[in-house]
Amino acid sequence: MKTDALFKDWNSIYPKPYNKDEVDPYTKTRIILMNGTEYEAVWFSHNFSRHCTNNDLRREIAITRRSEQQQQKVISVLKPADESILETTISYEQLAVDLTARLAQREPNQHVKMALDFALLEDFDHLYRYSDLLEMERGIRAEQLVGHYTEIMPGRPTIAEHRFPNDNIRMYVDFCKADPITKLNVAIITAAEQQTMNYYMNVAGFYDSDRGRSLYQEIALIEEQHVSQYGSLLDTKMTWLEGLLQHEYTECYLYYSCYQDETDPYIKKIWEQHFIEEVNHLHQAEELLKKYEKKEWQQVIPDGCFPQLLTLGENKEYVRNILCSTVQLTSVKDDYPNVSDLSTESELYKFQNILNHDVEQVPSHRVIHDYICQKGQDYRFEDKENPVYDLRDRSCDNTNVGRIK
């Protein structure tokens, strides 16, 4: 495809939105995933340009960036105007749960897998908190939005997730030695969590109740922790051009995966078109790497074939197993100790005592408390009772699990 063919007219960048009452839940999550992937590509390109002294190179990546921007504009308006901020949020959290679970189950690097499993329980709890807010304020039951594919119940309580910032930084992965699937997993989850963080950072002020606004504030802070965690896993030794090639390869991989996985014929055509465009971007990145750093693409992507493609679907039993076995864990730098093993002088407890000293004012707790006061018990969608005994009581929000000795 010639570079000129990458640019679109106005009709081409304004597609038909999906029908929120008919769309498959995983079509929505794929749209959110690819929106975040395109944002990451654009943001990386801008940062590359800001750290590059060669104007010829900056102009070349600007061409690709414009194409990436157009792709993002197409994807972002697939969401219909009648889908509320909070309804979209449920899909964001379903993506966070089911994407993280799928990546963790195929991850060969135990350091990366532990990071995925650890954050999985936190996004799982976010889905529960937002779902209670949705039913309480809008009368919409979130199990309809997630298609009954993802359970809705407490995970590691959001109040317990607030950690001292330096405990969210992990050791980076050496991409020269890492399995191709590990490199993809780290890139994919970083972009996806970043998209969620950005969404919550920006929509908090547009929500129409103080209860909801404060909940978005709190969970946005946890998503920042997740982005710090996942971003720290990226190989810090890669050059900007190596990073550009890795980004384009990841996009090709994801669009091809979405194309293979998609059930909506209209959306499937968009994934196909974007995949074709991304192959062009990949070749451009390969040429720039060779031109400016005298490196071959095989030095960054040793295998020319895609590894196992990404599919999105149900992960209920995996989530339950991780919840049962790791809900009491917290993080201290690269380790994941049981919270009961920490000293009361630990950074976690010091930070908790600053932020959450008045439990009744913590937004994620107030949402569930208010719901229980109105309805007598919280809102859940469970196939069976919570695997963690202390999280089974539906008449009281547990703020101790994962937080108190």
Side-chain angles (χ1 to χ4, degrees):
M1 179 183 288
K2 293 183 179 179
T3 300
D4 290 350
L6 293 173
F7 300 125
K8 302 176 172 68
D9 62 18
W10 296 115
N11 287 332
S12 300
I13 64 172
Y14 197 82
K16 177 183 68 176
Y18 58 76
N19 184 322
K20 73 172 188 175
D21 297 319
E22 298 175 358
V23 65
D24 183 271
Y26 290 116
T27 292
K28 288 191 292 183
T29 57
R30 278 187 286 270
I31 289 168
I32 293 168
L33 173 62
M34 297 318 300
N35 198 4
T37 300
E38 288 296 352
Y39 174 86
E40 165 61 23
V42 168
W43 187 235
F44 174 84
S45 179
H46 275 299
N47 276 285
F48 185 172
S49 186
R50 294 170 189 178
H51 290 82
C52 178
T53 58
N54 188 317
N55 251 15
D56 290 334
L57 176 53
R58 298 207 300 179
R59 291 186 175 107
E60 291 194 75
I61 63 175
I63 294 171
T64 302
R65 184 166 64 246
R66 181 65 175 204
S67 178
E68 305 276 17
Q69 280 278 18
Q70 289 188 148
Q71 290 174 323
Q72 188 275 329
K73 300 300 174 283
V74 170
I75 297 168
S76 67
V77 295
L78 289 170
K79 172 196 171 301
D82 63 350
E83 185 177 275
S84 70
I85 290 173
L86 193 47
E87 287 174 301
T88 302
T89 297
I90 299 302
S91 295
Y92 266 84
E93 293 300 346
Q94 183 179 26
L95 171 66
V97 170
D98 286 326
L99 173 66
T100 306
R102 284 296 169 100
L103 298 184
Q105 289 174 85
R106 70 181 196 175
E107 178 52 58
N109 183 313
Q110 287 304 303
H111 175 60
V112 175
K113 184 181 187 305
M114 190 64 218
L116 291 163
D117 287 338
F118 183 69
L120 168 62
L121 297 192
E122 302 188 343
D123 287 319
F124 189 62
D125 193 74
H126 301 167
L127 176 61
Y128 161 69
R129 311 267 161 187
Y130 281 127
S131 295
D132 275 65
L133 180 66
L134 179 67
E135 210 284 328
M136 178 166 48
E137 294 192 346
R138 300 291 186 268
I140 298 172
R141 299 181 68 82
E143 73 256 33
Q144 302 298 327
L145 302 183
V146 301
H148 300 89
Y149 296 122
T150 310
E151 290 188 277
I152 299 168
M153 59 184 174
R156 181 180 299 116
T158 298
I159 189 174
E161 299 167 12
H162 298 281
R163 296 175 289 277
F164 192 67
N166 68 10
D167 288 329
N168 297 303
I169 302 301
R170 315 288 179 234
M171 176 59 70
Y172 67 86
V173 176
D174 185 346
F175 277 17
C176 292
K177 300 176 181 178
D179 189 287
I181 208 76
T182 294
K183 294 191 282 187
L184 283 167
N185 284 350
V186 172
I188 291 165
I189 198 63
T190 301
E193 288 291 294
Q194 181 175 258
Q195 177 70 7
T196 304
M197 177 190 73
N198 290 339
Y199 182 63
Y200 296 168
M201 286 172 67
N202 285 288
V203 302
F206 293 95
Y207 197 77
D208 58 4
S209 77
D210 289 331
R211 183 192 291 117
R213 287 158 66 92
S214 60
L215 182 63
Y216 275 103
Q217 279 190 321
E218 180 182 0
I219 295 182
L221 287 169
I222 302 301
E223 298 299 347
E224 195 282 328
Q225 293 185 167
H226 290 177
V227 176
S228 292
Q229 168 181 268
Y230 290 131
S232 67
L233 294 172
L234 292 165
D235 190 346
T236 57
K237 304 187 303 301
M238 294 182 75
T239 67
W240 283 100
L241 282 167
E242 288 172 338
L244 179 65
L245 186 71
Q246 182 68 48
H247 273 79
E248 300 301 346
Y249 175 74
T250 302
E251 288 182 273
C252 287
Y253 168 82
L254 282 176
Y255 276 123
Y256 190 68
S257 293
C258 287
Y259 171 75
Q260 294 292 336
D261 204 26
E262 186 57 66
T263 57
D264 184 307
Y266 180 77
I267 304 295
K268 191 180 182 78
K269 289 182 179 179
I270 293 175
W271 302 147
E272 181 181 27
Q273 178 61 31
H274 284 193
F275 170 70
I276 293 169
E277 293 168 3
E278 288 300 341
V279 170
N280 182 276
H281 297 169
L282 181 63
H283 284 295
Q284 289 175 325
E286 174 214 354
E287 291 168 5
L288 294 177
L289 183 67
K290 181 181 292 187
K291 178 178 179 181
Y292 290 99
E293 293 188 1
K294 313 302 181 189
K295 295 176 183 174
E296 299 296 329
W297 62 266
Q298 292 91 341
Q299 295 174 252
V300 182
I301 309 166
D303 191 341
C305 299
F306 289 143
Q308 172 190 356
L309 294 180
L310 177 66
T311 60
L312 293 175
E314 184 178 302
N315 301 278
K316 291 178 182 178
E317 286 307 311
Y318 184 78
V319 174
R320 281 180 165 272
N321 289 337
I322 298 302
L323 180 58
C324 184
S325 60
T326 67
V327 71
Q328 282 289 95
L329 300 188
T330 186
S331 73
V332 176
K333 298 181 180 176
D334 276 315
D335 296 323
Y336 300 91
N338 189 301
V339 70
S340 297
D341 295 333
L342 297 184
S343 161
T344 54
E345 297 302 311
S346 69
E347 298 290 0
L348 172 68
Y349 284 118
K350 290 178 182 178
F351 193 68
Q352 282 280 329
N353 288 336
I354 294 170
L355 188 64
N356 297 326
H357 63 89
D358 185 353
V359 171
E360 297 308 314
Q361 294 304 310
V362 177
S364 57
H365 170 64
R366 288 209 325 264
V367 164
I368 305 303
H369 176 268
D370 290 354
Y371 190 101
I372 292 171
C373 287
Q374 289 184 24
K375 314 266 181 148
Q377 62 179 17
D378 64 0
Y379 161 74
R380 302 185 183 196
F381 167 66
E382 302 172 308
D383 288 350
K384 49 191 175 184
E385 63 184 0
N386 197 300
V388 178
Y389 178 82
D390 288 342
L391 298 177
R392 291 176 185 173
D393 187 353
R394 298 188 58 186
S395 64
C396 180
D397 181 39
N398 190 307
T399 58
N400 293 337
V401 170
R403 176 172 171 267
I404 303 296
K405 279 183 174 291

